[in-house]
Amino acid sequence: MPFQKVQPEKLSASVVRQIEKLILRGILTPGERLPSERELAERLGVSRPSLRDAIADLQYKGLLAAKAGSGIFVADVLGSAFSPALIELFATHNEAVFDYLSFRRDMEGLAAERAARFGSDADLAFIQTIFDKMVAAGDPSLSDEAASLDAQFHSAIMDASHNVIMLHMMRSMFDLLHQGVFYNRRIMFSQHITYDALLGQHRDINTALQARDPTAARAAVETHLDYVKQALADHQKSEANAAVAQQRLQHEAEKG
């Protein structure tokens, strides 16, 4: 018979598995500092030597990293899905910008649909909390906090989709946006997206999610990102027109 004796598991192995799951599910994020050794051992209910064994194992796997004098941190496991050379191409070619928004439209629409179906009550409560903070923070073109909350709102929907592959892939994509690889959000918001329209679109997304309406949630996300895509196109057209006008003005001045 294909049975084997059950081997007792070391406590450190249980700790490793628990921390791995927290990283996999996006609960522990890159750069996040773990509690002190004493506090973490107490929380986990293990001895400090067992915890040290687990931490060493996770460091060997590249999931945790020690910083001298600072503690233990979640390693930069997210990284980027793209090479530096390809990121440079993204930053210098407009077609990549619009393809990025189209990709986000498809992926975030699916995530919103999944969040409405599979998100827990806690997931939806968190999304509601972020939305309430967005309302309080005001115009994202005037505040770094408001712009950050906008990104957090979209990330929370990804988290609530409960698909770890989608979660980590989209966090990598969002990281490129935060770096300004695709466009400068603050500049675009200030010139071509009105705060009322933006807030209304986020309200529609949140309302559909809280009602657990998958079809409406996906449609609301798609409408929002279509609006952002058009606003970006308008912004780029405006910049091109301004450059032509400046050439005309300069040419006329040189004639005079």
Side-chain angles (χ1 to χ4, degrees):
M1 298 295 287
F3 298 111
Q4 297 178 347
K5 288 184 177 180
V6 175
Q7 300 295 322
E9 185 175 54
K10 293 172 59 178
L11 283 176
S12 62
S14 297
V15 173
V16 167
R17 194 164 56 250
Q18 183 175 156
I19 294 176
E20 284 179 338
K21 286 181 179 179
L22 290 173
I23 295 173
L24 177 66
R25 294 167 182 169
I27 297 170
L28 289 177
T29 58
E32 185 170 349
R33 184 181 183 277
L34 295 188
S36 68
E37 181 182 283
R38 179 182 58 78
E39 181 183 353
L40 188 54
E42 289 177 357
R43 288 192 190 186
L44 293 168
V46 299
S47 68
R48 293 171 74 167
S50 291
L51 177 61
R52 289 189 199 111
D53 287 345
I55 296 298
D57 191 6
L58 290 162
Q59 286 180 280
Y60 178 76
K61 291 180 177 182
L63 295 174
L64 296 180
K67 295 183 181 179
S70 299
I72 302 295
F73 294 79
V74 178
D76 185 16
V77 292
L78 194 60
S80 174
F82 311 103
S83 70
L86 192 54
I87 290 172
E88 180 65 24
L89 281 177
F90 289 162
T92 54
H93 290 77
N94 285 342
E95 65 182 276
V97 175
F98 294 107
D99 283 350
Y100 167 76
L101 286 169
S102 294
F103 181 78
R104 274 190 62 188
R105 181 186 188 274
D106 293 342
M107 290 295 99
E108 290 190 46
L110 177 59
E113 183 179 306
R114 287 181 56 87
R117 292 184 189 278
F118 306 123
S120 67
D121 290 344
D123 286 321
L124 298 185
F126 182 67
I127 292 170
Q128 180 68 57
T129 298
I130 297 297
F131 177 74
D132 291 342
K133 288 182 178 180
M134 288 175 65
V135 174
D139 191 338
S141 70
L142 303 175
S143 162
D144 287 332
E145 179 190 2
S148 177
L149 286 166
D150 180 284
Q152 287 179 46
F153 180 80
H154 288 274
S155 293
I157 295 172
M158 282 293 165
D159 294 348
S161 72
H162 290 284
N163 183 306
V164 295
I165 303 300
M166 182 184 293
L167 183 153
H168 288 284
M169 179 181 67
M170 291 306 296
R171 282 191 179 179
S172 178
M173 296 291 288
F174 280 138
D175 186 53
L176 296 183
L177 180 60
H178 294 158
Q179 295 173 33
V181 169
F182 292 108
Y183 54 87
N184 186 310
R185 299 170 70 249
R186 289 284 298 278
I187 292 175
M188 190 187 71
F189 285 166
S190 66
Q191 296 188 12
H192 291 282
I193 293 184
T194 67
Y195 169 60
D196 289 341
L198 198 65
L199 183 62
Q201 290 160 18
H202 285 96
R203 179 175 285 109
D204 290 343
I205 295 169
N206 183 56
T207 297
L209 288 170
Q210 301 303 329
R212 292 192 175 277
D213 186 333
T215 301
R218 182 166 194 158
V221 166
E222 291 173 348
T223 297
H224 167 58
L225 288 169
D226 283 342
Y227 179 83
V228 172
K229 188 174 182 179
Q230 185 59 52
L232 186 58
D234 292 344
H235 171 63
Q236 292 184 352
K237 184 176 181 180
S238 176
E239 285 192 325
N241 290 344
V244 171
Q246 183 61 36
Q247 286 179 324
R248 288 198 186 103
L249 182 62
Q250 183 178 348
H251 181 61
E252 190 64 28
E254 290 171 350
K255 285 168 54 179

